[in-house]
């Protein structure tokens, strides 16, 4: 029998729920602390990971944080006191590794969200949040039945919204105060 859309969606939700519940709370708290302590937050991810992090960048901007997406023409130079927040499932993407090393050389802090805790990227910083998801080429079906890095990217999006919500609740800002920063050029 072919699985229905509903069956497939239930699988996606169940896998994402298990993965979110397995994230170490201390890792998430370190990421929250690094974000609030930073003068500016720079966001970097490639592919679908980058798309998920851009959503977080928008929400952090709504909170009033100074946020820049690496690669945008308006992104300034990173410096001491800044945070480079990187998402990379594999922790091996060459351009991401280069950017992380450049940020460290500039005196910035680096925080990593990855599915690979022993990767070259994770070894560069103590601020690592591990998402228990399959690597892109893992076809075993043990960590996820989904294609490629889908589970990592889904959890990254949910994690971003969870981090934003925690920061918002801690900020004491109202929804109307955040809305004042929402784009009015749409």
């Amino acid at each position: 029998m072919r699985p229905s859309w509903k069956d497939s969606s239930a699988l996606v939700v169940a896998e994402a729920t298990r993965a979110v519940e397995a994230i170490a709370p201390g890792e998430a708290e370190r990421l929250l602390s690094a974000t609030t302590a930073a003068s500016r937050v720079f966001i970097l991810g490639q592919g679908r990971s980058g798309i998920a992090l851009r959503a977080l960048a928008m929400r952090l901007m709504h909170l009033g944080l100074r946020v820049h997406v690496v690669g945008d023409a308006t992104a300034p130079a990173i410096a001491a006191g800044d945070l480079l927040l990187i998402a990379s499932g594999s922790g091996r993407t060459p351009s991401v590794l280069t950017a992380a090393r450049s940020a460290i050389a500039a005196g910035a802090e680096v925080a990593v969200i990855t599915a690979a805790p022993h990767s070259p990227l994770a070894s560069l910083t103590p601020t690592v949040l591990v998402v228990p998801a399959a690597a892109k080429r893992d076809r075993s079906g043990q960590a996820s039945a989904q294609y490629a890095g889908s589970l990592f990217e889904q959890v990254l999006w949910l994690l971003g919204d969870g981090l934003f919500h925690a920061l918002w609740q801690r900020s004491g800002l109202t929804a109307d105060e955040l809305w004042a920063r929402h784009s009015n050029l749409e």
Side-chain angles (χ1 to χ4, degrees):
M1 184 170 134
R2 291 177 22 182
S4 69
W5 171 88
K6 187 173 182 178
D7 294 335
S8 294
S9 295
L11 175 123
V12 168
V13 170
E15 285 190 358
T17 298
R18 278 193 304 274
V20 168
E21 289 175 349
I23 291 172
E27 292 176 2
E29 283 300 321
R30 280 192 294 281
L31 184 54
L32 285 167
S33 295
T35 302
T36 56
S39 298
R40 299 176 298 176
V41 178
F42 289 73
I43 299 289
L44 176 59
Q46 300 299 329
R48 288 172 34 134
S49 297
I51 292 168
L53 276 189
R54 284 179 189 86
L56 175 57
M58 185 177 81
R59 290 294 187 229
L60 294 177
M61 177 275 299
H62 289 156
L63 282 172
L65 277 66
R66 294 172 55 200
V67 184
H68 303 282
V69 176
V70 174
D72 283 354
T74 58
I78 198 165
D82 294 336
L83 172 68
L84 175 59
L85 174 56
I86 300 173
S88 173
S90 71
R92 297 181 182 284
T93 307
S95 62
V96 171
L97 282 164
T98 298
R101 291 181 182 116
S102 295
I104 292 166
E109 183 174 349
V110 173
V112 171
I113 302 171
T114 186
H118 305 293
S119 66
L121 184 61
S123 72
L124 295 175
T125 178
T127 308
V128 177
L129 189 150
V130 178
V131 174
K136 284 185 183 179
R137 295 191 177 263
D138 180 351
R139 307 290 193 258
S140 70
Q142 291 177 343
S144 176
Q146 298 181 64
Y147 175 71
S150 294
L151 180 59
F152 176 76
E153 295 140 2
Q154 292 153 2
V155 172
L156 182 57
W157 192 291
L158 294 170
L159 176 65
D161 278 350
L163 293 170
F164 159 76
H165 190 77
L167 291 170
W168 176 34
Q169 296 306 300
R170 294 174 186 187
S171 76
L173 296 169
T174 67
D176 287 336
E177 289 171 303
L178 271 61
W179 187 254
R181 295 186 191 99
H182 194 282
S183 175
N184 60 2
L185 298 176
E186 299 176 328

